[in-house]
Amino acid sequence: MKGKALWTAVGLVAIALVVTVARADFRRGHGWCGTGWHHGGPLGQVARELKLSDAQVSQVRSIWTEERPTVTALLKELTSGAHQLAAATVGGKFDEGKAQAITTAEGNTFAKLLMEKERFKSRVYTTVLNEEQRQSADRLQQRWLDRMDHAVARLDKQSP
């Protein structure tokens, strides 16, 4: 009798553990596999969406390798500006002139970063994708914009 009770308790604990892990994983939206490397990151997702061949993925990686130093430099500049702004406002002090100068520089850096992103997308679009993939890319872009519009509309509705 004690053996049955023990195994029943062990079984219930195991079931509770499985349910808890499954619910936690499900809430994050990653399933049982998590966000591991097998998904391929952003390029993997785009490659699946656009049905890119291995050769096309290699071309995109090659373009990214060329663009990476520029993007890295801009990200370092952006991070440096964030550190400057944090240092300028430490302890709750606020010098509007100093903050304005730093945020203006940050805005310029961010604009350069956005230009690099668009330059990269344009190169991939024109040199790597075939016509069917370009149409899929256009639909993917429109879906993204629709999602952003929806998010903004939801925020707008929540405003008092």
Side-chain angles (χ1 to χ4, degrees), residues 35-139:
T35 58
W37 291 99
H38 61 279
H39 291 293
L43 178 56
Q45 180 182 354
V46 171
R48 280 189 306 277
E49 288 276 340
L50 301 180
K51 297 178 175 74
L52 298 181
S53 68
D54 290 341
Q56 288 174 310
V57 170
S58 293
Q59 284 180 288
V60 173
R61 282 196 174 115
S62 173
I63 293 170
W64 171 245
T65 301
E66 293 173 23
E67 296 287 336
R68 186 186 341 222
T70 305
V71 171
T72 301
L74 289 170
L75 288 173
K76 284 180 181 177
E77 195 175 321
L78 202 61
T79 304
S80 172
H83 285 285
Q84 290 173 13
L85 190 59
T89 59
V90 71
K93 65 180 178 181
F94 183 71
D95 177 356
E96 188 154 342
K98 194 172 188 179
Q100 182 66 44
I102 294 169
T103 57
T104 299
E106 287 281 83
N108 291 335
T109 303
F110 194 72
K112 291 175 191 174
L113 193 58
L114 287 173
M115 288 298 294
E116 284 301 318
K117 179 191 79 144
E118 292 303 319
R119 185 174 292 118
F120 174 78
K121 281 174 38 180
S122 176
R123 283 184 65 191
V124 169
Y125 191 91
T126 58
T127 62
V128 176
L129 303 182
N130 63 37
E131 189 56 38
E132 182 180 322
Q133 291 167 331
R134 288 178 184 156
Q135 291 172 2
S136 292
D138 292 339
R139 286 191 301 271

